[in-house]
Amino acid sequence: MFRQVGIVLLLSTASLGASAQVVQNTTAKTAAQAQAPAQAAPARSVDAAQAASNNSTMAELQQLIQNRTLNELRTTYNGNYGASLLFKADDLTYYVAMFQQKNFWRVVKTTSESQAEQTYKAFVEQTVQLADVDIRRIKLDAERAVTEKQISANETRLSALQNDLSMQRQQEQQVAARQEQARQEAAALANERQAAREQLNTLQRQIRMLEEQQTKLDSANSVTSQDGRRGR
């Protein structure tokens, strides 16, 4: 008949678990008390505290949530804090609860709708103030994580640029060495070419000289031959 109380039911689980642990501890202490009468006063103090806890508005709200007899009208979250406005339809009762993480912190019970709304708004404002530190921490942590990623990316970029520059310098050194070697080879080839040309010129001069001598000999032989024919 009633809408299930969603997140508040989940949040109450931790509180109920804590209450069950208190009951278990109290039971164990009571059994121990039966064997140690001298400690009766501390045991009675624990029993009184447990009874007060079971008779609180918070315990009443937890029981109603477990029985699913409440409607969740509003719930607001701010960081680890939250506020809920709950309604018990069979007797027109409102419950306003503030919680931190999974534990109820404050609970107000009223039959006045305006008081419930005002209390809920006040609780919401308190959660805003209480959550400011947590929200700031979350944002700062996110900004730190992003900054660390940017640092890592820039370190990687810087390393790549340093490697590129190192390789560029190596290439420049290799190019300069190749150019120097090429200049030396060109100079050597130029000297060899000059030597070859000089050798060629020398050979050509020698050939011309021999050719001239051969021509002179041929001319002299021709004149001698002609003189011999005339003498006959």
Side-chain angles (χ1 to χ4, degrees):
M1 179 173 63
F2 297 98
R3 183 169 67 87
Q4 179 179 349
V5 181
I7 189 62
V8 176
L9 179 59
L10 177 62
L11 293 173
S12 68
T13 304
S15 298
L16 289 174
S19 299
Q21 184 64 39
V22 172
V23 173
Q24 181 179 0
N25 293 340
T26 304
T27 303
K29 291 181 179 179
T30 303
Q33 177 61 29
Q35 298 177 359
Q39 299 179 357
R44 283 196 296 271
S45 298
V46 173
D47 291 341
Q50 181 61 38
S53 175
N54 291 335
N55 194 30
S56 65
T57 305
M58 186 178 298
E60 178 183 337
L61 175 61
Q62 291 170 349
Q63 187 61 50
L64 291 172
I65 291 174
Q66 287 288 3
N67 295 337
R68 301 184 181 180
T69 56
L70 293 175
N71 288 326
E72 181 180 354
L73 302 182
R74 308 178 194 276
T75 296
T76 299
Y77 298 93
N78 285 292
N80 292 324
Y81 300 89
S84 288
L85 176 60
L86 308 163
F87 181 62
K88 189 169 180 288
D90 58 359
D91 58 3
L92 305 180
T93 301
Y94 296 89
Y95 292 85
V96 188
M98 183 188 298
F99 51 87
Q100 191 264 339
Q101 291 183 344
K102 293 184 178 181
N103 299 311
F104 283 125
W105 183 5
R106 295 182 58 188
V107 176
V108 173
K109 174 182 177 181
T110 179
T111 57
S112 170
E113 179 181 1
S114 60
Q115 182 183 357
E117 291 287 354
Q118 291 175 0
T119 303
Y120 174 74
K121 291 179 180 179
F123 280 6
V124 170
E125 290 178 358
Q126 290 183 46
T127 62
V128 171
Q129 297 173 0
L130 292 169
D132 279 346
V133 174
D134 287 339
I135 292 174
R136 177 171 173 77
R137 177 188 57 79
I138 292 171
K139 291 179 178 179
L140 289 174
D141 185 58
E143 291 175 359
R144 176 196 56 79
V146 170
T147 302
E148 288 181 351
K149 290 181 180 178
Q150 292 175 343
I151 290 173
S152 178
N154 280 276
E155 287 177 344
T156 301
R157 178 59 178 164
L158 176 61
S159 177
L161 290 174
Q162 289 174 338
N163 292 335
D164 290 343
L165 181 59
S166 177
M167 294 178 62
Q168 181 180 350
R169 288 174 176 172
Q170 291 178 2
Q171 291 294 329
E172 288 177 352
Q173 292 174 356
Q174 293 176 2
V175 169
R178 285 195 296 268
Q179 288 181 339
E180 180 60 26
Q181 182 180 358
R183 281 194 294 268
Q184 292 176 0
E185 291 177 352
L189 289 172
N191 293 333
E192 292 177 0
R193 183 189 63 177
Q194 183 63 29
R197 285 183 175 179
E198 290 177 357
Q199 182 180 3
L200 176 61
N201 292 334
T202 299
L203 292 173
Q204 288 177 343
R205 285 195 300 269
Q206 291 176 352
I207 291 172
R208 284 197 298 271
M209 290 175 60
L210 291 175
E211 288 178 345
E212 290 176 357
Q213 292 177 6
Q214 184 66 40
T215 301
K216 290 179 179 179
L217 288 174
D218 290 341
S219 297
N221 290 334
S222 176
V223 171
T224 303
S225 177
Q226 291 178 1
D227 292 341
R229 285 198 297 272
R230 290 176 183 172
R232 291 178 185 175

